[in-house]
Amino acid sequence: MSQTLRIIRPDDFHLHLRDDAQMQSVLPFSATQFARAIVMPNLKTPVTTTTMALAYRQRILTALPDKLKKDFEPLMTLYLTDNTTPDEIKHAKNCGFIHGVKLYPAGATTHSDAGVTDIKHCYATLEAMEANSLPLLIHGEVTDPDIDLFDREKIFIDRVLEPLVRRFPKLRIVLEHITTEDAAAFVTSAPDTVAATITAHHLHYNRNAIFQNGIRPHYYCLPVLKRERHRQALIKAATSGNAKFFLGTDSAPHTQSMKETACGCAGIFTAHAAVELYTEIFEQANALDKLEAFTSINGAVFYQLPRNKTVTTLRKEPWRVPETISYASETLVPLRAGEIVHWKATSTP
Ligand code: NCD
Ligand code: ZN
């Protein structure tokens, strides 16, 4: 008998679904694995208004295959700009479908050009979020070109996040896709209003993966992978049972041709095997008893959502990840392409 685990069906608290035919290609992977997902608003035209978020939500629901329609709920977000108004925040809250507002420092990552140039421009809007209990989701990197790429998260915490937490003591904040021991330590010691998502790829790989016998664009994401010491700190945080840490894949599809080029895009696709990749880490850390809290409980509690009612079964069963996955009219290269994943997840109604 192979080893079997049953957990509450997981949620993904950080996901890029893209749009149109590309969304059609990747959405079934997330909808198979997750009951709900916080959908990132960094489309080519950023999702900056409630109206745009509701239209995007409708496109996601329409794109869901019939057999998954009842299994997946997109949790929408707004893209914060220097010009987002407090009124827009009230609309967002009142519509009932928007669960967070995403702060991209302008220029920090894919489709972030319309992001915030200085957080001071957003104070009135952040006050409205605090008053309306709408969480702020943060891409936590400074964009100052003088700052070393590998230090951008740590400097962001010191310069922006720490003062922000003090200024807005009731604002719920998620530091997204944390990559450093500094971030894990900051979140651990911060007030309960502050939480963090952790990706599967930052738990599995350190920065050596990007340079293994040559340049490996499929391991390039933002924030970039860090040294082994940081990866170990993330594993410790994820498997600690601390309710401040929860699953957010940051699965970020790009076409193979946009990754394998002289100036490749940032982003790693993991939606095809996300829950299994996390399970591998928890098994290696001897912490399978902490898996369910991380994948299926802590995030829902932080976002004030009910617990999922269905169950996911995980079997210790090796399977090989395909070399490529079709992505609209092109292909994408998933994480672990051509390699073995050691667990297999199935949902049970
Ligand atoms: C994301 C994307 O491609 O949209 N890329 C990434 O490397 N994670 C954007 C982001 O979350 O930074
Ligand atoms: Zn992301």
Side-chain angles (χ1 to χ4, degrees), residues 14 16 18 40 42 102 104 109-111 139 177 201 220-223 250 252-254 266-268:
H14 183 130
H16 298 273
R18 312 305 189 206
M40 288 296 129
N42 65 330
K102 181 70 189 272
Y104 291 102
T109 188
T110 308
H111 301 149
H139 184 109
H177 42 51
H201 45 279
Y220 173 57
C221 65
L222 288 171
D250 194 19
H254 290 277
I268 297 180

PDB file of all heavy atoms in Angstrom, residues 14 16 18 40 42 102 104 109-111 139 177 201 220-223 250 252-254 266-268, ligand 1:
ATOM      1  N   HIS A  14      -1.935  33.133  -4.178  1.00  0.00           N
ATOM      2  CA  HIS A  14      -1.211  34.040  -5.104  1.00  0.00           C
ATOM      3  C   HIS A  14      -1.072  33.330  -6.450  1.00  0.00           C
ATOM      4  O   HIS A  14      -0.255  32.433  -6.597  1.00  0.00           O
ATOM      5  CB  HIS A  14       0.176  34.380  -4.550  1.00  0.00           C
ATOM      6  CG  HIS A  14       0.929  35.358  -5.400  1.00  0.00           C
ATOM      7  ND1 HIS A  14       1.515  36.488  -4.878  1.00  0.00           N
ATOM      8  CD2 HIS A  14       1.197  35.410  -6.736  1.00  0.00           C
ATOM      9  CE1 HIS A  14       2.111  37.163  -5.841  1.00  0.00           C
ATOM     10  NE2 HIS A  14       1.930  36.519  -6.995  1.00  0.00           N
ATOM     11  N   HIS A  16      -1.237  33.742 -10.957  1.00  0.00           N
ATOM     12  CA  HIS A  16      -1.375  34.492 -12.207  1.00  0.00           C
ATOM     13  C   HIS A  16      -2.124  33.631 -13.215  1.00  0.00           C
ATOM     14  O   HIS A  16      -1.625  32.580 -13.623  1.00  0.00           O
ATOM     15  CB  HIS A  16       0.014  34.859 -12.758  1.00  0.00           C
ATOM     16  CG  HIS A  16       0.780  35.739 -11.829  1.00  0.00           C
ATOM     17  ND1 HIS A  16       0.655  37.108 -11.838  1.00  0.00           N
ATOM     18  CD2 HIS A  16       1.631  35.445 -10.813  1.00  0.00           C
ATOM     19  CE1 HIS A  16       1.421  37.627 -10.886  1.00  0.00           C
ATOM     20  NE2 HIS A  16       2.017  36.632 -10.248  1.00  0.00           N
ATOM     21  N   ARG A  18      -3.429  35.074 -16.142  1.00  0.00           N
ATOM     22  CA  ARG A  18      -3.408  35.720 -17.463  1.00  0.00           C
ATOM     23  C   ARG A  18      -4.837  35.888 -17.987  1.00  0.00           C
ATOM     24  O   ARG A  18      -5.778  35.950 -17.205  1.00  0.00           O
ATOM     25  CB  ARG A  18      -2.513  34.953 -18.455  1.00  0.00           C
ATOM     26  CG  ARG A  18      -1.138  34.577 -17.919  1.00  0.00           C
ATOM     27  CD  ARG A  18      -0.333  35.738 -17.399  1.00  0.00           C
ATOM     28  NE  ARG A  18       1.051  35.346 -17.095  1.00  0.00           N
ATOM     29  CZ  ARG A  18       1.798  35.964 -16.200  1.00  0.00           C
ATOM     30  NH1 ARG A  18       1.335  36.963 -15.475  1.00  0.00           N
ATOM     31  NH2 ARG A  18       3.045  35.582 -16.001  1.00  0.00           N
ATOM     32  N   MET A  40      -4.083  37.390  -9.327  1.00  0.00           N
ATOM     33  CA  MET A  40      -3.291  38.615  -9.449  1.00  0.00           C
ATOM     34  C   MET A  40      -3.836  39.508 -10.569  1.00  0.00           C
ATOM     35  O   MET A  40      -4.289  39.011 -11.596  1.00  0.00           O
ATOM     36  CB  MET A  40      -1.825  38.265  -9.715  1.00  0.00           C
ATOM     37  CG  MET A  40      -1.132  37.704  -8.496  1.00  0.00           C
ATOM     38  SD  MET A  40      -1.070  38.940  -7.178  1.00  0.00           S
ATOM     39  CE  MET A  40      -1.713  38.012  -5.809  1.00  0.00           C
ATOM     40  N   ASN A  42      -2.186  41.724 -12.498  1.00  0.00           N
ATOM     41  CA  ASN A  42      -1.190  42.332 -13.412  1.00  0.00           C
ATOM     42  C   ASN A  42      -1.366  41.828 -14.838  1.00  0.00           C
ATOM     43  O   ASN A  42      -0.453  41.274 -15.436  1.00  0.00           O
ATOM     44  CB  ASN A  42       0.240  42.094 -12.905  1.00  0.00           C
ATOM     45  CG  ASN A  42       0.643  40.633 -12.889  1.00  0.00           C
ATOM     46  OD1 ASN A  42      -0.196  39.743 -12.717  1.00  0.00           O
ATOM     47  ND2 ASN A  42       1.921  40.367 -13.074  1.00  0.00           N
ATOM     48  N   LYS A 102      -3.418  44.843  -4.626  1.00  0.00           N
ATOM     49  CA  LYS A 102      -2.024  44.460  -4.803  1.00  0.00           C
ATOM     50  C   LYS A 102      -1.131  45.665  -5.048  1.00  0.00           C
ATOM     51  O   LYS A 102      -1.376  46.461  -5.953  1.00  0.00           O
ATOM     52  CB  LYS A 102      -1.931  43.485  -5.993  1.00  0.00           C
ATOM     53  CG  LYS A 102      -0.527  42.970  -6.304  1.00  0.00           C
ATOM     54  CD  LYS A 102      -0.008  42.020  -5.247  1.00  0.00           C
ATOM     55  CE  LYS A 102       1.462  41.687  -5.441  1.00  0.00           C
ATOM     56  NZ  LYS A 102       1.705  40.561  -6.302  1.00  0.00           N
ATOM     57  N   TYR A 104       2.289  46.749  -6.396  1.00  0.00           N
ATOM     58  CA  TYR A 104       3.524  46.508  -7.143  1.00  0.00           C
ATOM     59  C   TYR A 104       4.308  47.817  -7.146  1.00  0.00           C
ATOM     60  O   TYR A 104       3.838  48.802  -7.724  1.00  0.00           O
ATOM     61  CB  TYR A 104       3.238  46.149  -8.608  1.00  0.00           C
ATOM     62  CG  TYR A 104       2.600  44.811  -8.827  1.00  0.00           C
ATOM     63  CD1 TYR A 104       1.237  44.714  -9.097  1.00  0.00           C
ATOM     64  CD2 TYR A 104       3.352  43.642  -8.802  1.00  0.00           C
ATOM     65  CE1 TYR A 104       0.641  43.480  -9.317  1.00  0.00           C
ATOM     66  CE2 TYR A 104       2.758  42.398  -9.021  1.00  0.00           C
ATOM     67  CZ  TYR A 104       1.408  42.329  -9.283  1.00  0.00           C
ATOM     68  OH  TYR A 104       0.829  41.119  -9.501  1.00  0.00           O
ATOM     69  N   THR A 109       8.376  44.174 -11.430  1.00  0.00           N
ATOM     70  CA  THR A 109       8.206  42.841 -12.018  1.00  0.00           C
ATOM     71  C   THR A 109       7.331  42.926 -13.269  1.00  0.00           C
ATOM     72  O   THR A 109       7.052  44.018 -13.768  1.00  0.00           O
ATOM     73  CB  THR A 109       7.628  41.879 -10.943  1.00  0.00           C
ATOM     74  OG1 THR A 109       7.634  40.541 -11.459  1.00  0.00           O
ATOM     75  CG2 THR A 109       6.208  42.257 -10.548  1.00  0.00           C
ATOM     76  N   THR A 110       6.913  41.752 -13.769  1.00  0.00           N
ATOM     77  CA  THR A 110       6.077  41.681 -14.978  1.00  0.00           C
ATOM     78  C   THR A 110       4.844  42.594 -14.865  1.00  0.00           C
ATOM     79  O   THR A 110       4.116  42.512 -13.876  1.00  0.00           O
ATOM     80  CB  THR A 110       5.602  40.219 -15.176  1.00  0.00           C
ATOM     81  OG1 THR A 110       6.738  39.356 -15.127  1.00  0.00           O
ATOM     82  CG2 THR A 110       4.879  40.050 -16.494  1.00  0.00           C
ATOM     83  N   HIS A 111       4.632  43.418 -15.879  1.00  0.00           N
ATOM     84  CA  HIS A 111       3.460  44.306 -15.943  1.00  0.00           C
ATOM     85  C   HIS A 111       3.265  45.130 -14.662  1.00  0.00           C
ATOM     86  O   HIS A 111       2.170  45.189 -14.112  1.00  0.00           O
ATOM     87  CB  HIS A 111       2.175  43.510 -16.235  1.00  0.00           C
ATOM     88  CG  HIS A 111       2.234  42.757 -17.512  1.00  0.00           C
ATOM     89  ND1 HIS A 111       1.574  41.575 -17.710  1.00  0.00           N
ATOM     90  CD2 HIS A 111       2.899  43.007 -18.671  1.00  0.00           C
ATOM     91  CE1 HIS A 111       1.823  41.134 -18.926  1.00  0.00           C
ATOM     92  NE2 HIS A 111       2.631  41.983 -19.528  1.00  0.00           N
ATOM     93  N   HIS A 139       4.095  43.051  -3.323  1.00  0.00           N
ATOM     94  CA  HIS A 139       5.334  42.574  -3.952  1.00  0.00           C
ATOM     95  C   HIS A 139       6.457  43.350  -3.271  1.00  0.00           C
ATOM     96  O   HIS A 139       6.686  44.519  -3.574  1.00  0.00           O
ATOM     97  CB  HIS A 139       5.323  42.819  -5.465  1.00  0.00           C
ATOM     98  CG  HIS A 139       6.539  42.252  -6.135  1.00  0.00           C
ATOM     99  ND1 HIS A 139       6.504  41.148  -6.956  1.00  0.00           N
ATOM    100  CD2 HIS A 139       7.850  42.617  -6.061  1.00  0.00           C
ATOM    101  CE1 HIS A 139       7.735  40.864  -7.364  1.00  0.00           C
ATOM    102  NE2 HIS A 139       8.566  41.741  -6.840  1.00  0.00           N
ATOM    103  N   HIS A 177       5.116  35.951  -1.672  1.00  0.00           N
ATOM    104  CA  HIS A 177       6.257  35.151  -2.127  1.00  0.00           C
ATOM    105  C   HIS A 177       7.567  35.539  -1.440  1.00  0.00           C
ATOM    106  O   HIS A 177       8.505  36.021  -2.082  1.00  0.00           O
ATOM    107  CB  HIS A 177       6.409  35.184  -3.651  1.00  0.00           C
ATOM    108  CG  HIS A 177       6.201  36.527  -4.313  1.00  0.00           C
ATOM    109  ND1 HIS A 177       6.834  37.670  -3.897  1.00  0.00           N
ATOM    110  CD2 HIS A 177       5.423  36.895  -5.349  1.00  0.00           C
ATOM    111  CE1 HIS A 177       6.466  38.674  -4.673  1.00  0.00           C
ATOM    112  NE2 HIS A 177       5.598  38.225  -5.554  1.00  0.00           N
ATOM    113  N   HIS A 201       8.461  26.889  -5.474  1.00  0.00           N
ATOM    114  CA  HIS A 201       9.810  26.941  -6.064  1.00  0.00           C
ATOM    115  C   HIS A 201      10.833  27.549  -5.115  1.00  0.00           C
ATOM    116  O   HIS A 201      11.992  27.113  -5.100  1.00  0.00           O
ATOM    117  CB  HIS A 201       9.822  27.617  -7.449  1.00  0.00           C
ATOM    118  CG  HIS A 201       9.043  28.879  -7.583  1.00  0.00           C
ATOM    119  ND1 HIS A 201       7.680  28.895  -7.769  1.00  0.00           N
ATOM    120  CD2 HIS A 201       9.422  30.178  -7.574  1.00  0.00           C
ATOM    121  CE1 HIS A 201       7.280  30.154  -7.877  1.00  0.00           C
ATOM    122  NE2 HIS A 201       8.304  30.946  -7.749  1.00  0.00           N
ATOM    123  N   TYR A 220      14.106  31.335 -13.414  1.00  0.00           N
ATOM    124  CA  TYR A 220      14.160  32.786 -13.146  1.00  0.00           C
ATOM    125  C   TYR A 220      12.766  33.318 -12.824  1.00  0.00           C
ATOM    126  O   TYR A 220      11.829  33.167 -13.604  1.00  0.00           O
ATOM    127  CB  TYR A 220      14.741  33.526 -14.352  1.00  0.00           C
ATOM    128  CG  TYR A 220      14.661  35.031 -14.203  1.00  0.00           C
ATOM    129  CD1 TYR A 220      15.258  35.674 -13.102  1.00  0.00           C
ATOM    130  CD2 TYR A 220      13.958  35.807 -15.121  1.00  0.00           C
ATOM    131  CE1 TYR A 220      15.165  37.049 -12.950  1.00  0.00           C
ATOM    132  CE2 TYR A 220      13.861  37.188 -14.974  1.00  0.00           C
ATOM    133  CZ  TYR A 220      14.468  37.792 -13.881  1.00  0.00           C
ATOM    134  OH  TYR A 220      14.358  39.150 -13.717  1.00  0.00           O
ATOM    135  N   CYS A 221      12.647  33.909 -11.655  1.00  0.00           N
ATOM    136  CA  CYS A 221      11.389  34.526 -11.243  1.00  0.00           C
ATOM    137  C   CYS A 221      11.748  35.736 -10.389  1.00  0.00           C
ATOM    138  O   CYS A 221      12.905  35.938 -10.051  1.00  0.00           O
ATOM    139  CB  CYS A 221      10.548  33.541 -10.422  1.00  0.00           C
ATOM    140  SG  CYS A 221      11.326  33.093  -8.860  1.00  0.00           S
ATOM    141  N   LEU A 222      10.745  36.502 -10.032  1.00  0.00           N
ATOM    142  CA  LEU A 222      10.942  37.613  -9.104  1.00  0.00           C
ATOM    143  C   LEU A 222       9.997  37.468  -7.922  1.00  0.00           C
ATOM    144  O   LEU A 222       8.841  37.111  -8.142  1.00  0.00           O
ATOM    145  CB  LEU A 222      10.714  38.953  -9.812  1.00  0.00           C
ATOM    146  CG  LEU A 222      11.819  39.339 -10.797  1.00  0.00           C
ATOM    147  CD1 LEU A 222      11.409  40.550 -11.620  1.00  0.00           C
ATOM    148  CD2 LEU A 222      13.135  39.605 -10.054  1.00  0.00           C
ATOM    149  N   PRO A 223      10.412  37.717  -6.700  1.00  0.00           N
ATOM    150  CA  PRO A 223      11.803  37.936  -6.349  1.00  0.00           C
ATOM    151  C   PRO A 223      12.654  36.710  -6.706  1.00  0.00           C
ATOM    152  O   PRO A 223      12.192  35.577  -6.561  1.00  0.00           O
ATOM    153  CB  PRO A 223      11.755  38.143  -4.832  1.00  0.00           C
ATOM    154  CG  PRO A 223      10.336  38.460  -4.505  1.00  0.00           C
ATOM    155  CD  PRO A 223       9.516  37.785  -5.539  1.00  0.00           C
ATOM    156  N   ASP A 250       2.329  31.627  -6.742  1.00  0.00           N
ATOM    157  CA  ASP A 250       2.907  32.568  -7.707  1.00  0.00           C
ATOM    158  C   ASP A 250       3.172  31.859  -9.034  1.00  0.00           C
ATOM    159  O   ASP A 250       4.131  32.193  -9.737  1.00  0.00           O
ATOM    160  CB  ASP A 250       4.187  33.219  -7.163  1.00  0.00           C
ATOM    161  CG  ASP A 250       4.616  34.427  -7.994  1.00  0.00           C
ATOM    162  OD1 ASP A 250       3.772  34.965  -8.738  1.00  0.00           O
ATOM    163  OD2 ASP A 250       5.793  34.796  -7.918  1.00  0.00           O
ATOM    164  N   ALA A 252       3.314  31.468 -12.563  1.00  0.00           N
ATOM    165  CA  ALA A 252       3.337  32.626 -13.472  1.00  0.00           C
ATOM    166  C   ALA A 252       3.764  32.170 -14.864  1.00  0.00           C
ATOM    167  O   ALA A 252       4.953  32.146 -15.189  1.00  0.00           O
ATOM    168  CB  ALA A 252       4.295  33.690 -12.934  1.00  0.00           C
ATOM    169  N   PRO A 253       2.777  31.772 -15.688  1.00  0.00           N
ATOM    170  CA  PRO A 253       3.118  31.232 -17.006  1.00  0.00           C
ATOM    171  C   PRO A 253       3.637  32.298 -17.971  1.00  0.00           C
ATOM    172  O   PRO A 253       3.146  33.424 -17.994  1.00  0.00           O
ATOM    173  CB  PRO A 253       1.770  30.673 -17.508  1.00  0.00           C
ATOM    174  CG  PRO A 253       0.720  31.459 -16.776  1.00  0.00           C
ATOM    175  CD  PRO A 253       1.320  31.786 -15.432  1.00  0.00           C
ATOM    176  N   HIS A 254       4.639  31.903 -18.733  1.00  0.00           N
ATOM    177  CA  HIS A 254       5.124  32.695 -19.868  1.00  0.00           C
ATOM    178  C   HIS A 254       5.384  31.708 -20.995  1.00  0.00           C
ATOM    179  O   HIS A 254       5.730  30.554 -20.734  1.00  0.00           O
ATOM    180  CB  HIS A 254       6.437  33.411 -19.524  1.00  0.00           C
ATOM    181  CG  HIS A 254       6.277  34.521 -18.527  1.00  0.00           C
ATOM    182  ND1 HIS A 254       5.879  35.793 -18.872  1.00  0.00           N
ATOM    183  CD2 HIS A 254       6.443  34.544 -17.181  1.00  0.00           C
ATOM    184  CE1 HIS A 254       5.817  36.556 -17.789  1.00  0.00           C
ATOM    185  NE2 HIS A 254       6.148  35.816 -16.738  1.00  0.00           N
ATOM    186  N   ALA A 266      10.353  37.038 -16.219  1.00  0.00           N
ATOM    187  CA  ALA A 266      10.391  36.440 -14.882  1.00  0.00           C
ATOM    188  C   ALA A 266       9.096  35.694 -14.621  1.00  0.00           C
ATOM    189  O   ALA A 266       8.014  36.225 -14.879  1.00  0.00           O
ATOM    190  CB  ALA A 266      10.568  37.529 -13.841  1.00  0.00           C
ATOM    191  N   GLY A 267       9.199  34.482 -14.078  1.00  0.00           N
ATOM    192  CA  GLY A 267       7.995  33.742 -13.713  1.00  0.00           C
ATOM    193  C   GLY A 267       8.204  32.254 -13.898  1.00  0.00           C
ATOM    194  O   GLY A 267       8.818  31.830 -14.873  1.00  0.00           O
ATOM    195  N   ILE A 268       7.706  31.461 -12.936  1.00  0.00           N
ATOM    196  CA  ILE A 268       7.841  29.998 -12.973  1.00  0.00           C
ATOM    197  C   ILE A 268       6.445  29.401 -12.913  1.00  0.00           C
ATOM    198  O   ILE A 268       5.636  29.804 -12.064  1.00  0.00           O
ATOM    199  CB  ILE A 268       8.720  29.511 -11.796  1.00  0.00           C
ATOM    200  CG1 ILE A 268      10.137  30.079 -11.919  1.00  0.00           C
ATOM    201  CG2 ILE A 268       8.730  27.981 -11.716  1.00  0.00           C
ATOM    202  CD1 ILE A 268      11.100  29.677 -10.809  1.00  0.00           C
TER     203      ILE A 268
HETATM  204  C1  NCD B   1       5.071  37.316 -12.074  1.00  0.00           C
HETATM  205  C2  NCD B   1       4.407  37.372 -13.448  1.00  0.00           C
HETATM  206  O1  NCD B   1       4.976  36.830 -14.406  1.00  0.00           O
HETATM  207  O2  NCD B   1       3.312  37.928 -13.570  1.00  0.00           O
HETATM  208  N1  NCD B   1       6.444  36.920 -12.233  1.00  0.00           N
HETATM  209  C3  NCD B   1       7.232  36.378 -11.283  1.00  0.00           C
HETATM  210  O3  NCD B   1       8.427  36.202 -11.551  1.00  0.00           O
HETATM  211  N2  NCD B   1       6.759  36.014 -10.116  1.00  0.00           N
HETATM  212  C4  NCD B   1       4.906  38.623 -11.387  1.00  0.00           C
HETATM  213  C5  NCD B   1       5.263  38.579  -9.918  1.00  0.00           C
HETATM  214  O4  NCD B   1       4.544  38.005  -9.102  1.00  0.00           O
HETATM  215  O5  NCD B   1       6.303  39.157  -9.567  1.00  0.00           O
END
